[in-house]
Amino acid sequence: QVQLVESGGGLVQAGGSLRLSCAASGRTFSNSAMGWFRQAPGKDREFVAIINWTGDNTYYSDSVKGRFTISRDKTKNTVYLQMNSLKPEDTAVYYCAARLYSGLGVSQAEYRNWGQGTQVTVSS
């Protein structure tokens, strides 16, 4: 069984930083890219960032570009999302998931093994 567990969320003041972690256990997709998504209250889940299997290529949504950084540590089976200069608009439940392919792609239909999510709340 493949399991992804997000952690690191919490309440932070605007302008602050958080680092989210996504730990994988069990069997995982071979050579899969990993993505971060978020869902704000009353809104649909949206793409945030993705990193390819080798970790040498990333892609971000325009709303977080320049503020968020995705990375991965294969030795720890963990993907990270460093979030800086947080804004109240970043408030959401953040999810990680494994893509069915090794390269970059933003379609949520191509992702599996969604974690349970971790809540990020940014106060003004």
Side-chain angles (χ1 to χ4, degrees), residues 23-24 45 50 56 66 78 85 115 119:
R45 189 167 57 197
I50 184 173
D56 59 356
T78 302
S85 302
Q119 176 70 51

Side-chain angles (χ1 to χ4, degrees), residues 13-64:
Q13 190 175 11
S17 299
L18 286 172
R19 189 181 76 162
L20 306 184
S21 298
C22 174
S25 63
R27 290 189 290 269
T28 61
F29 289 105
S30 179
N31 305 117
S32 64
M34 297 294 296
W36 282 98
F37 302 81
R38 66 186 182 186
Q39 186 170 24
K43 305 296 182 181
D44 292 332
R45 189 167 57 197
E46 65 178 3
F47 165 78
V48 175
I50 184 173
I51 186 168
N52 70 340
W53 173 247
T54 56
D56 59 356
N57 200 8
T58 59
Y59 183 71
Y60 301 89
S61 68
D62 290 338
S63 62
V64 307

Side-chain angles (χ1 to χ4, degrees), residues 22 27 35 41 65 79 81 89 103 110:
C22 174
R27 290 189 290 269
K65 192 176 302 181
V79 180
L81 185 67
E89 305 90 88
E110 299 173 347

Side-chain angles (χ1 to χ4, degrees), residues 98-120:
R99 190 168 183 252
L100 298 176
Y101 313 100
S102 62
L104 302 182
V106 301
S107 175
Q108 296 185 39
E110 299 173 347
Y111 287 81
R112 296 288 187 274
N113 304 105
W114 297 87
Q116 84 289 344
T118 185
Q119 176 70 51
V120 173

